[in-house]
Each structure stands twice: as structure tokens, then as C-alpha cells.
Amino acid sequence: MPACQECQQEFTVTPQDDKFRKRVSPQTRDKTYPFPAPTLCADCRQMRRLVWRNERHLYPRDCDLCGEKSLSIYHEKHPFPVYCLPCWWSDKWDGTKYGRDFDFSQPFFKQFKKLQDTVPRMMVQQQQNENSEYTANVSHLKNCYLLFSSDFNRDCYYGVWVGNSEDSLDNFIINKCRLTHEAIFSDNIYNCSFVIHSSQCSDSAFLLDCKSCSNCFMCYGLRNKKFCIANKQYSEEDYNKELSKLPISSYKNYEHFKNHYEQMIKKAPYLYLWRNGRIEDSSGDFLTDVKSCHNCYEITEGRDCKNVQSGYQVIDAHDCSYVHGELGYENCECFPMPMKSAFNLNTYNGHDVYYNDMCMNNNSNIWGCVSLKKSKHCLLNKQYTPEEYEELLPRVINHMKETGEYGEFFPAKLSPFDYHETNAEDFVPLHKNSHQKPSLEPTYDLPDDINDTPESVTNEVLACKKCHKNYRIIQQEYKLLKKLGLPLPRLCFECRNAAKSRFRKPRTLHNRKCAGCKQAIQTNYSPDHPEQVFCEECYLKRVY
């Protein structure tokens, strides 16, 4: 077995992996140029991709074409020009004008970096939004704020991977929810708070793996139940009487219940993976309706995938992150991913595209390009005839083989982002909160209960209890929390998001025995974790 050149751990490359790489490899004149076996293990390959993705950090910046003020994922310190969305999509400029000849005396990645530092970038990836400027990697939003990697939402605030939802805030990986607060990997939730891995539940709080439940509180593993507290059945009258004793509109009460519940669910039974819908011949976590997906995480409607993270309707993909589409290898943030593509960043639609960044709208047969639209037969943004491209590409591939670049993703050191800005920080934190002094000293103490808090709180400057950074309560947030009867947050958005991310287990599979029948299972609950982890059959016996 080869050893990873980054972490030195041995890893496996199967004959099936070799066949897949050949399928996705470039072709010219009926000749295929197979990508070699990877030199890094799957975990290190993932981290190398994630350092290229800034999901949640926004900076004020002026458009370098029209001068309009906007928000960007790129800090103004970056050398390349950045255009607002109307300017980037306009015909006022042409990416091929930045084209250059390939220099066979220099490595490809060095030439590509020079091109990246020259060609205009899009401020932020947004599509068909209304009144939702403070967002990134989103589409079809209306009246949303600080929503990231989310689509088709209305009046939602502070969330990551939120889909098809309304009037919800502070959520993480949810779909088809309304009036939902602090939900994690859940769908079809209505009027609930702090709901984890649950589906089709309503009018409840503090749930774990509950299905088709309503009016339940502090429960786990329930099916088709009503009026339960701590998994104990109550009458409707007694249920409401118990809940009225300590209303969760109080921050003190809410945190008390949350802390108590987190201790309580440590003793709960856990399925070896978190999943929704039909799962067939698959491994990983946070899976919904997948088949033959191995070592995959946060995938919805996937088939025949391996080592893929955060995908939607993805087929025949290996080693990809944040993708939607078919037949891709080592792509990151390609939504939808070009057909038969590899080693791309922020590149949407098209086919036969390799080693590109932010190339949009059905490009085909392009290599090493930045910010092209509807282009064909381009290399380093220079336009070629089909014949010239077919003649040049094999020479470039052979050169990259000689330099050891062929079959490798872009080196992490070339990323325009600081490590702490990227998704890599979410999984392997290197950045420590400085607990800095707030830039503006808060002069307002939040009342304990939302019902005692005036709307004028939206004019106040607050300080996060954890990292001490300043934050504000927006008016929409105040009104929604008042409607839900929930307290205002004492943490900034980043610290709240980090707290929810604790439930996203490491993306590493371990061999472990079922706590019931003792048969071998593969799970990302490590053997030294205290949870009781069960196979499918044993788990279902406990919840049905």
C-alpha cells in the first residue's frame, strides 16, 4: 500500500479506483491520458480541497470595474481584481483577453497562479436572490441574512446548508422546515427548537432522532408520539402544565434544558450512521437517499460515489467536495459540476474541463483557465482552434507528468484564503479565538426573557460571551424569536455555528462492534467514544 506524502499513513488504491480515474481522464484524438494514482490519502486530499473554499467570511469591497460597494469573499489585500455580480456577468470584459502562452520552462501551477492573480473574480457566488446580500454560495433566496451554501429559502437567517425553508434561523443542514430554530440534519420540521437528526416533527423542543412526533420535549428515538417529556408519556393537560413551569423564552431556562439534554443523550442509543430515506450499500454520515456511496458525508440523492463530501444529486464522483452533477474527480465547489471533469474550483456546467477556477456557463475542452464563460478550446485563457488545442494539450500533460503535477489538485499554499477563513478550519482547527477585547464596548445587558426585551435591542451593540467579538440583533431575528417564544442569542453567529458543528462527527470511518449483537460495523463513532452504537437491526428494535 502507498503511504500518504502528507501524513505518512498507508492508504488503499483499488482496481476500481484506477478504472474510475481512467473514465474521467482527458482524451484527445481517441487517446486517453489516465490520471495516476493519488499521492495523498483521502483525508489529506479532502483537506487540500477545503483550504480553497471560503464559505462564511464576507468583506466590504468596491467593484474594480464600476466602483460600486459590495460584499466579497475576497479581502481587499488580494492582488486580483474583483467585480460585482452585474459587472462579472456582463459583456464589458472578456476573460480570453488575459490569455497567455504555456511556458514549458516553468511548472504549470506557477503559471496558473500568475493567471489567477490577474483575471477578475466574482465578488461572491449568488444567483437569483432578492434582498439577501449578506450571503454566499447561495441561490433563490428572498429576505435572507447570513445564510451560506443554501438554496430556495425565504426569511431565513444565520444558517449553513439550509434548503427549501421559511421563517427559520440558526440551522445547520436542514430541508423543508418552517419556524425552526437550532435544527441539525433535520427535514420537514415545524415550530421546533434544538432538533437533531429528526423528521416530520412539530411543536417540540430538544429532540434527537425523532420521527413524526409533535408536542414532545427532551426526547430521543421516538416514533409517532405526542405529549412526551424525557420519553415519558403525559396527557395533553399534564404536558402543558409541566412546560409552563419553566418557559424557554428565558435564556437561563433554555440553556439549562439544552445543557441537561446534551448530558441526557450521551446515554441514548445511536445508529452507526445518521441517515434519512433509503440507504443502500453505503458508508459515511449525514446521508439521505443514497446507493453505493462509500466514505461519503452530507450527501443527498447520491449514487456510485466515493470520498465525497457535501453533495446533492451527485453520480459517479470520487474525491469531490460541495458538488452536484455527474462524473467528476477532485472537484470543489462545482454546483452543478461539469460532466467528465477533474481538479476544478468554482466551475459550473460544461464538459471535459480540467484545472480551472470560476469558469461558468457551459465551457468545454478548457484547461488551466480562470473566469471564462461559454468558452471552448482554451488553455491558460488563450483561445485556440480545436486542432491547435488537440495538438498542445498532450504536450502540456507530458510536461505536468515530468513536474509531478499531473493528477494532483492545486497546492494548498496557492490558495488565496487564510486557513482560518476556509472550511478546512471546520475540521482541523488551527486558529484559536483570541478572546479579543470588543471593538465597541457593549453598554447593554440583555434581559433574561425575550418577553422582557424591547425591540430597541436591535439598535444595541453586543459582545459574544465566548469570543468577545461584537455582534448585533437584526430586527427580523428579534421578531421571529419573539414569535417562537425563544431567547435572544448571547453568542455571535460564528460561535453559534461552531456549537452546532460539534454534532458533525469527524469524517473518518472506524471498525467497531455493535453494542447489541456484537457484529462488526463501520462508523465514524471512534471506538474510544462512549456512545452506545448499534447496527441497523439492533437500533430499530430499540426505537420501534
Side-chain angles (χ1 to χ4, degrees):
M1 288 192 295
C4 174
Q5 292 185 2
E6 182 68 28
C7 69
Q8 313 307 317
Q9 295 293 316
E10 291 185 341
F11 64 98
T12 301
V13 179
T14 69
Q16 290 77 17
D17 296 335
D18 297 334
K19 289 179 181 179
F20 176 83
R21 289 197 314 278
K22 186 174 182 179
R23 284 179 59 206
V24 79
S25 295
Q27 291 178 296
T28 59
R29 296 174 185 166
D30 298 323
K31 182 177 179 180
T32 301
Y33 299 85
F35 289 123
T39 59
L40 302 185
C41 67
D43 288 345
C44 289
R45 296 198 296 273
Q46 176 195 175
M47 295 302 296
R48 184 172 58 180
R49 291 190 300 275
L50 295 186
V51 297
W52 286 86
R53 188 174 191 268
N54 172 7
E55 183 177 61
R56 302 184 303 276
H57 295 268
L58 296 172
Y59 306 97
R61 185 160 177 171
D62 296 342
C63 173
D64 288 311
L65 187 58
C66 73
E68 285 289 321
K69 295 185 180 298
S70 188
L71 290 168
S72 175
I73 61 171
Y74 302 106
H75 194 276
E76 61 182 7
K77 68 182 181 181
H78 295 308
F80 44 80
V82 175
Y83 290 176
C84 66
L85 295 180
C87 285
W88 194 91
W89 285 105
S90 73
D91 295 329
K92 298 176 182 178
W93 67 285
D94 181 358
T96 61
K97 300 300 181 184
Y98 297 85
R100 55 197 62 193
D101 293 327
F102 192 90
D103 185 349
F104 288 93
S105 69
Q106 294 189 39
F108 164 74
F109 288 138
K110 183 177 181 180
Q111 298 178 67
F112 186 77
K113 177 61 175 175
K114 290 180 180 178
L115 183 66
Q116 280 184 312
D117 288 344
T118 305
V119 185
R121 300 289 193 91
M122 193 188 301
M123 282 272 188
V124 65
Q125 292 186 28
Q126 298 173 341
Q127 185 179 8
Q128 299 184 38
N129 296 333
E130 180 181 342
N131 189 32
S132 303
E133 291 79 11
Y134 288 79
T135 59
N137 299 313
V138 295
S139 69
H140 303 90
L141 303 184
K142 184 175 181 179
N143 304 328
C144 294
Y145 179 75
L146 290 186
L147 219 58
F148 303 95
S149 302
S150 300
D151 304 284
F152 298 98
N153 300 293
R154 180 171 181 164
D155 300 308
C156 291
Y157 322 106
Y158 310 106
V160 177
W161 283 92
V162 175
N164 305 290
S165 297
E166 296 182 20
D167 299 306
S168 298
L169 74 165
D170 273 316
N171 296 296
F172 180 64
I173 313 182
I174 66 167
N175 189 37
K176 298 179 181 178
C177 296
R178 188 180 176 201
L179 295 175
T180 301
H181 170 253
E182 288 204 313
I184 302 164
F185 190 53
S186 296
D187 67 275
N188 293 283
I189 303 297
Y190 176 80
N191 193 30
C192 292
S193 182
F194 206 74
V195 175
I196 307 169
H197 187 202
S198 295
S199 180
Q200 298 181 338
C201 295
S202 63
D203 305 305
S204 300
F206 307 106
L207 302 183
L208 168 66
D209 191 24
C210 291
K211 315 293 183 189
S212 302
C213 295
S214 64
N215 300 99
C216 290
F217 191 81
M218 303 277 286
C219 294
Y220 60 82
L222 296 186
R223 303 293 187 266
N224 305 301
K225 295 291 186 179
K226 290 184 178 181
F227 307 117
C228 293
I229 300 176
N231 284 35
K232 180 182 177 181
Q233 186 68 59
Y234 285 73
S235 68
E236 181 176 357
E237 181 181 356
D238 289 342
Y239 176 86
N240 290 325
K241 186 184 297 184
E242 288 296 318
L243 260 60
S244 66
K245 294 179 180 178
L246 291 171
I248 58 175
S249 56
S250 156
Y251 176 77
K252 181 180 178 180
N253 291 344
Y254 186 87
E255 288 299 300
H256 166 76
F257 284 123
K258 181 191 285 188
N259 293 333
H260 181 69
Y261 185 67
E262 290 192 19
Q263 293 301 314
M264 173 180 160
I265 61 177
K266 288 181 179 179
K267 300 177 182 178
Y270 285 87
L271 183 63
Y272 69 102
L273 62 79
W274 285 12
R275 49 85 174 122
N276 287 321
R278 185 179 178 86
I279 308 299
E280 186 176 344
D281 184 31
S282 299
S283 62
D285 207 19
F286 285 23
L287 302 179
T288 302
D289 295 319
V290 300
K291 180 180 179 180
S292 300
C293 291
H294 302 286
N295 195 35
C296 291
Y297 302 85
E298 297 159 33
I299 304 293
T300 298
E301 298 178 26
R303 181 163 56 84
D304 300 320
C305 295
K306 185 175 182 179
N307 305 328
V308 174
Q309 309 85 34
S310 304
Y312 173 68
Q313 292 182 345
V314 58
I315 301 172
D316 281 333
H318 284 206
D319 294 286
C320 292
S321 304
Y322 302 92
V323 293
H324 154 57
E326 187 171 351
L327 197 56
Y329 176 56
E330 282 260 44
N331 290 318
C332 183
E333 187 55 48
C334 297
F335 229 86
M337 178 172 62
M339 169 74 81
K340 196 182 180 189
S341 61
F343 307 106
N344 294 292
L345 292 160
N346 313 296
T347 293
Y348 293 12
N349 289 316
H351 63 87
D352 295 280
V353 298
Y354 301 90
Y355 288 101
N356 303 289
D357 185 8
M358 202 165 281
C359 291
M360 305 285 185
N361 279 21
N362 290 308
N363 297 282
S364 62
N365 297 291
I366 61 173
W367 189 287
C369 296
V370 179
S371 292
L372 292 188
K373 294 168 283 187
K374 296 182 179 179
S375 297
K376 296 181 179 181
H377 303 107
C378 295
L379 201 150
L380 291 181
N381 280 42
K382 183 175 180 179
Q383 183 69 64
Y384 293 93
T385 66
E387 293 77 17
E388 290 170 336
Y389 183 83
E390 291 265 313
E391 189 278 329
L392 176 61
L393 186 57
R395 296 176 56 208
V396 171
I397 291 174
N398 288 332
H399 177 74
M400 292 178 67
K401 288 180 179 178
E402 293 174 359
T403 58
E405 299 167 302
Y406 191 62
E408 298 291 338
F409 196 76
F410 303 109
K413 65 182 180 181
L414 301 185
S415 170
F417 304 115
D418 292 336
Y419 186 91
H420 77 272
E421 294 177 302
T422 71
N423 283 113
E425 173 75 15
D426 296 336
F427 297 96
V428 182
L430 300 181
H431 178 72
K432 295 183 178 179
N433 287 326
S434 59
H435 295 283
Q436 63 194 45
K437 186 178 180 180
S439 53
L440 294 173
E441 286 290 348
T443 58
Y444 186 81
D445 291 326
L446 284 172
D448 177 63
D449 198 296
I450 184 72
N451 296 313
D452 299 326
T453 309
E455 190 170 349
S456 59
V457 70
T458 58
N459 300 320
E460 303 293 344
V461 177
L462 308 175
C464 175
K465 288 180 64 177
K466 184 175 182 181
C467 73
H468 299 244
K469 292 180 181 177
N470 290 127
Y471 71 102
R472 290 182 180 273
I473 304 297
I474 63 171
Q475 190 174 53
Q476 302 94 315
E477 175 185 10
Y478 172 84
K479 290 181 176 179
L480 184 53
L481 287 171
K482 189 85 177 275
K483 181 178 181 178
L484 293 170
L486 296 170
L488 295 176
R490 268 59 171 179
L491 302 180
C492 68
F493 167 63
E494 272 299 305
C495 289
R496 301 199 304 269
N497 185 67
K500 288 188 288 291
S501 296
R502 291 182 295 114
F503 294 93
R504 180 197 243 168
K505 300 181 292 297
R507 291 171 170 173
T508 301
L509 293 176
H510 304 276
N511 293 318
R512 185 167 171 165
K513 292 186 183 297
C514 169
C517 66
K518 307 303 179 184
Q519 75 171 0
I521 55 175
Q522 200 173 43
T523 176
N524 61 340
Y525 290 99
S526 66
D528 56 351
H529 277 214
E531 296 91 350
Q532 297 182 75
V533 183
F534 295 87
C535 68
E536 181 99 12
E537 183 178 353
C538 290
Y539 182 77
L540 292 179
K541 289 178 181 177
R542 283 161 173 78
V543 299
Y544 282 101

